[in-house]
Amino acid sequence: MAVRGLSFYYIVYTLVLVFAGMLSEVSSYVRPPPRKNIFVSLSEDRDSTSPQQVHISVIGEDKMRISWITDDPAPATVNYGTSPGVYPNSATGPTSSYKYVLYKSGEIHNVIIGPLQPNTVYYYRCSSNSSPEFTFKTPPAQFPIKFAVVGDLGQTDWTKSTLDHISKSNYDLLLLPGDLSYADVIQNLWDSFGRLVEPLASQRPWMVTQGNHEVEKIPIIHSTPFTAYNSRWRMPFEESGSTSNLYYSFNVAGVHVIMLASYADFDPDSDQYKWLQSDLGKVDRSRTPWVVVLIHAPWYNSNKAHQGESESTGMKSSMEDLLYRARVDIIFAGHVHAYERFTRVYNNKADNCAPMYINIGDGGNREGLASKYQNPKPDISIVREASFGHGQLEMMNATHALWTWHRNDDDVAVAADSIWLTSLSSNTACKV
């Protein structure tokens, strides 16, 4: 991949901060000292046509998208099967690339494979050569199903700790509510991030949405937002009737998951609002009794960081009624670098038929933790703590789920916070 003049990107980054103020939201909160990024280079046992940055995502209920990058042109082919070294099936797909100022990406390959059996381990290789053999497990078709949930991941030693904890959790699918690489216009940090998460993201589906650090607009120099994000992390938006990779939905094992875009238009006249309205109208709670939503900028937040931002207050004003009337069970957010769990809330008041709000932007970013909270603590805020970690959401059946939050300081088997939830679709008092 062409990476010229890394110092140039730091100059560009400074210009972004000066001219746009976009990569760092304004607030009264003073961050702790930032942590340095780690950088993951290409492994010595891989060459310019070897697959790297491999990650997978679900397409419908029985297919998988395999995404990877090669430095030089290579076949966009995936060979796969259910036994090691035996690949009776193959599929091909498109290849693309992108330019960002002086940077040119490698060859970005996207191949959809399937139909696949649920809850099954598959072995695969990319680019049809003697490249490394990868494995993944498909999600189950029925309950129970376990999600790992983490936001604002970044590339620090804390990130490595978070990923290590997640790798031991035996999860089926990962949900990430924005702020992935913290590349912040320095494009080779996207490559580093892809290599960092590959050991996990090549084995289980990673379903992501965007945050403010994915925008990467530079006034005059690069005016198109989300260039790297949309090129590298393609999600199943078209399959859910969306016109944008920034918002989409999918079904998995009795759960309908909706990914929304805090940094796209969300007013009632917007494409995103109209799509959400249509998507919610299609939900069949007899097939997907649970509905989970992910955003980046939180609608409820008692931390002093990121208060009063339009991406939070405006989106909440536009969309809260929609999600409340649809009896959404849980809304996850990132952005604030701390953990906070609210009770079920609607219109700033506790409501047993409203979503539970959980802020989980504590994955390990370089900006540090948001350690200052508003006092006194609002009654609707149940647990709040400025620690790095991740969450696990296990839907046991159509009516009950277990949420646990795990600090990085703790052993993965120890939950720092936990609560059992009952699906709103099974609550007769919440029928609409």
Side-chain angles (χ1 to χ4, degrees):
M1 296 171 197
V3 183
R4 305 173 189 171
L6 186 57
S7 61
F8 172 82
Y9 288 103
Y10 287 100
I11 295 172
V12 170
Y13 181 52
T14 302
L15 289 173
V16 173
L17 294 177
V18 172
F19 289 113
M22 181 188 60
L23 299 177
S24 175
E25 302 295 341
V26 176
S27 74
S28 60
Y29 165 67
V30 178
R31 295 189 187 280
R35 288 177 176 266
K36 292 182 179 179
N37 273 359
I38 60 175
F39 187 87
V40 182
S41 300
L42 183 64
S43 175
E44 292 182 358
D45 62 353
R46 300 194 194 183
D47 60 30
S48 63
T49 60
S50 296
Q52 57 170 298
Q53 307 175 51
V54 181
H55 59 272
I56 66 174
S57 53
V58 296
I59 301 289
E61 298 187 35
D62 64 352
K63 294 182 176 65
M64 200 76 71
R65 173 180 283 114
I66 314 296
S67 304
W68 75 97
I69 294 178
T70 55
D71 284 348
D72 291 332
T77 302
V78 174
N79 305 102
Y80 63 102
T82 55
S83 300
V86 181
Y87 314 114
N89 307 298
S90 67
T92 60
T95 296
S96 62
S97 63
Y98 72 92
K99 292 182 178 180
Y100 190 96
V101 193
L102 298 180
Y103 173 93
K104 183 180 183 304
S105 74
E107 303 293 306
I108 304 172
H109 311 283
N110 285 283
V111 175
I112 297 175
I113 65 173
L116 305 171
Q117 294 299 312
N119 208 26
T120 300
V121 174
Y122 284 84
Y123 300 81
Y124 67 104
R125 66 179 185 182
C126 306
S127 293
S128 294
N129 58 23
S130 57
S131 62
E133 181 179 70
F134 299 93
T135 66
F136 69 81
K137 187 177 79 68
T138 53
Q142 302 176 358
F143 299 115
I145 182 172
K146 180 187 283 190
F147 299 91
V149 188
V150 62
D152 298 70
L153 199 51
Q155 305 180 62
T156 70
D157 286 338
W158 281 119
T159 309
K160 292 175 66 176
S161 174
T162 299
L163 293 174
D164 181 61
H165 281 70
I166 292 173
S167 70
K168 299 173 183 175
S169 67
N170 194 31
Y171 70 101
D172 296 300
L173 187 149
L174 184 138
L175 303 174
L176 201 163
D179 283 1
L180 284 69
S181 71
Y182 282 76
D184 292 340
V185 313
I186 303 172
Q187 295 300 295
N188 67 338
L189 290 180
W190 274 108
D191 296 313
S192 171
F193 178 78
R195 299 176 193 124
L196 175 65
V197 302
E198 179 188 89
L200 275 70
S202 62
Q203 295 188 41
R204 297 291 187 276
W206 277 40
M207 309 305 292
V208 305
T209 190
Q210 92 297 153
N212 54 304
H213 287 271
E214 277 72 62
V215 179
E216 295 189 305
K217 284 177 64 176
I218 305 174
I220 302 174
I221 299 171
H222 189 93
S223 59
T224 303
F226 305 109
T227 299
Y229 173 80
N230 282 335
S231 299
R232 294 170 181 269
W233 289 84
R234 186 175 178 86
M235 293 289 115
F237 69 95
E238 294 164 320
E239 290 77 6
S240 60
S242 169
T243 58
S244 171
N245 192 51
L246 304 180
Y247 48 90
Y248 63 96
S249 67
F250 63 96
N251 292 336
V252 59
V255 185
H256 186 68
V257 181
I258 300 173
M259 298 287 202
L260 295 179
S262 298
Y263 299 89
D265 290 341
F266 43 66
D267 61 78
D269 292 327
S270 67
D271 288 344
Q272 180 175 199
Y273 184 97
K274 294 173 183 176
W275 170 83
L276 175 61
Q277 196 172 36
S278 174
D279 187 77
L280 290 171
K282 298 173 186 176
V283 174
D284 181 354
R285 297 303 276 263
S286 67
R287 293 188 64 243
T288 54
W290 294 92
V291 178
V292 175
V293 170
L294 279 80
I295 57 179
H296 184 65
W299 296 356
Y300 290 93
N301 168 33
S302 73
N303 196 289
K304 289 188 176 181
H306 298 303
Q307 287 291 331
E309 295 175 359
S310 61
E311 294 83 6
S312 296
T313 59
M315 194 177 194
K316 175 177 179 286
S317 177
S318 292
M319 293 182 167
E320 185 179 25
D321 281 353
L322 274 183
L323 300 188
Y324 175 70
R325 292 197 302 268
R327 297 298 186 251
V328 168
D329 293 285
I330 308 170
I331 298 178
F332 290 108
H335 202 37
V336 175
H337 301 159
Y339 173 72
E340 185 165 17
R341 175 171 61 82
F342 290 82
T343 188
R344 294 189 177 279
V345 184
Y346 172 64
N347 196 23
N348 304 305
K349 296 178 181 178
D351 187 317
N352 289 335
C353 296
M356 177 177 291
Y357 287 82
I358 298 175
N359 299 340
I360 192 148
D362 56 353
N365 66 88
R366 60 172 167 74
E367 294 176 331
L369 291 164
S371 57
K372 296 182 180 180
Y373 289 93
Q374 297 174 338
N375 286 305
K377 181 165 72 80
D379 291 340
I380 58 175
S381 177
I382 307 302
V383 179
R384 57 186 192 176
E385 180 178 323
S387 293
F388 288 115
H390 78 282
Q392 298 173 26
L393 177 64
E394 188 167 10
M395 271 70 173
M396 303 299 184
N397 50 44
T399 60
H400 290 85
L402 175 63
W403 165 256
T404 55
W405 174 65
H406 302 261
R407 290 190 204 96
N408 284 358
D409 293 342
D410 297 331
D411 184 87
V412 73
V414 178
D417 179 39
S418 65
I419 184 172
W420 281 93
L421 295 86
T422 301
S423 62
L424 293 182
S425 64
S426 66
N427 186 341
T428 55
C430 299
K431 297 294 185 183
V432 290

